[in-house]
Amino acid sequence: MSKYLVLATPRSFAKTDPAPIRLLEEHGCQVLRLPTDGGDLRQQLLEYLPQADAVIAGLESYDRTTLELGKKLKVVSRYGVGYDKVDVAAARELGILVSITPGANSNSVADLAMALMLAAARHVCPMDAAIRAGQNSKPTTGVEMWGKTLGVVGTGRIGKGVIQRAAGFQMKVLANDAYPDQAFVEAHNGTYTDLDTLFRESDFITLHAPYTEETKNMVDSRRLKEMKSTAVLVNTARGGIVDEEALYQALKEGEIGAAALDATLVEPACGSPLATLPNCILTPHAGAATYEAGRNMGMLAAQNVLDVLTTGTCPHLV
């Protein structure tokens, strides 16, 4: 008989590799994937939380009211690094730990950031759409990445991964972070600077900061006006860091060249005005959508659960 009930909500958890579920089951856990039978995730979560010892959580919200249902709940193990959807203060008061999977998807997100930069710079998506629509039009003129200036906001694991990849394009790096790693950035043709300088002088800007009160709408109309008219903005971090209404106006009026967002306020951003613009690429928060990242996140999220259930703590607590 299983000692623990573990709920798992991310759709990609153990989807291509059952190893994370095997790990949990081998250590006395029953894993219940939600939603079951195509039901409503929110309703099923509320139904099963009172019996659960742990949750491996996706991007759904865990507010105080939800957490209070978890009478046996020991840990909310986030399948990823963002935890803005979890009321951490309430969890702490209720004795529920919150963990993340740092580094598990860093390479995957860094790869996508580079892919989005290139696709936006060369207008790959609108050219592809034109050909599929049977339009015999000339290619859209783009900009090169080679030898340009890259602005990196946030130099954690993912930001550093982008900087390493940008070295292959011989890019100059302007970085900004509350906790700078001077040696790393200087070793990759870079320097730390203030945000105004970064936005004003960069040809490409990639965002890798967490979503906080300080970073909310950090990229607003003022910052967008600071950018070069040919500049490309990429956000693979969190929705809300970019003021999407201001970005829409900036793109529509040609204040900046292009943008690519993997993170938006509403995901996926199907009904966003940004989806009507040819110089904006939108992807469905797919930064971690690789086989490698899925396995890494699944194993680490599962191990975080086991560590908390068996020892009362784990190395990756928020």
Side-chain angles (χ1 to χ4, degrees):
M1 182 177 177
S2 300
K3 292 188 293 184
Y4 307 110
L5 174 63
V6 179
L7 308 181
T9 68
R11 285 178 296 177
S12 61
F13 175 72
K15 182 178 181 180
T16 57
D17 188 336
I21 291 179
R22 277 203 309 268
L23 176 65
L24 290 166
E25 291 176 340
E26 288 168 0
H27 290 81
C29 297
Q30 175 192 353
V31 180
L32 179 61
R33 302 292 300 270
L34 296 181
T36 62
D37 302 321
D40 181 78
L41 171 60
R42 188 67 186 168
Q43 289 301 316
Q44 291 189 7
L45 194 61
L46 299 181
E47 177 184 351
Y48 289 105
L49 264 177
Q51 294 84 45
D53 297 281
V55 176
I56 294 176
L59 293 172
E60 67 275 5
S61 174
Y62 291 86
D63 56 17
R64 176 181 288 275
T65 302
T66 303
L67 293 169
E68 286 176 344
L69 293 173
K71 303 301 182 182
K72 299 173 59 182
L73 196 60
K74 303 294 189 302
V75 58
V76 175
S77 176
R78 268 286 294 119
Y79 182 74
V81 294
Y83 53 90
D84 47 284
K85 296 293 184 69
V86 183
D87 188 336
V88 177
R92 186 178 297 115
E93 290 178 21
L94 295 167
I96 302 168
L97 301 181
V98 181
S99 65
I100 57 176
T101 57
N105 63 1
S106 297
N107 283 327
S108 178
V109 179
D111 281 358
L112 181 62
M114 293 299 291
L116 291 175
M117 275 187 244
L118 282 165
R122 298 303 303 272
H123 306 291
V124 170
C125 293
M127 288 193 294
D128 175 79
I131 290 175
R132 292 174 186 272
Q135 299 173 6
N136 185 16
S137 56
K138 294 182 178 179
T140 306
T141 303
V143 295
E144 296 178 0
M145 283 181 61
W146 182 265
K148 295 295 179 62
T149 297
L150 173 66
V152 181
V153 181
T155 53
R157 290 179 178 88
I158 298 171
K160 286 178 178 175
V162 174
I163 290 171
Q164 289 173 313
R165 288 157 176 76
F169 288 82
Q170 295 191 10
M171 300 183 85
K172 173 187 174 183
V173 174
L174 295 177
N176 181 276
D177 197 296
Y179 304 96
D181 187 339
Q182 298 282 2
F184 177 90
V185 169
E186 290 175 4
H188 291 82
N189 195 29
T191 183
Y192 281 94
T193 187
D194 60 274
L195 283 174
D196 286 334
T197 301
L198 186 151
F199 274 80
R200 187 172 57 250
E201 297 185 6
S202 298
D203 300 293
F204 294 82
I205 296 174
T206 181
L207 306 177
H208 303 287
Y211 178 73
T212 65
E213 282 301 314
E214 289 73 28
T215 62
K216 181 179 180 180
N217 287 334
M218 177 179 66
V219 184
D220 55 12
S221 58
R222 181 180 72 84
R223 293 231 185 273
L224 290 163
K225 285 180 171 61
E226 290 179 331
M227 294 173 64
K228 297 179 181 181
S229 61
T230 55
V232 173
L233 175 70
V234 171
N235 182 18
T236 56
R238 279 291 180 269
I241 296 176
V242 177
D243 182 334
E244 293 180 14
E245 291 184 11
L247 178 61
Y248 173 81
Q249 292 299 326
L251 289 167
K252 187 177 181 181
E253 295 169 12
E255 290 180 357
I256 68 172
L261 309 180
D262 186 48
T264 50
L265 281 172
V266 177
E267 295 173 349
C270 300
S272 170
L274 292 167
T276 67
L277 300 176
N279 55 346
C280 184
I281 297 172
L282 298 169
T283 52
H285 208 125
T290 63
Y291 292 111
E292 296 86 350
R295 188 183 194 283
N296 292 342
M297 287 195 300
M299 291 300 289
L300 188 49
Q303 189 62 57
N304 287 343
V305 166
L306 290 177
D307 286 348
V308 171
L309 293 180
T310 58
T311 71
T313 188
C314 81
H316 307 298
L317 296 179
V318 174

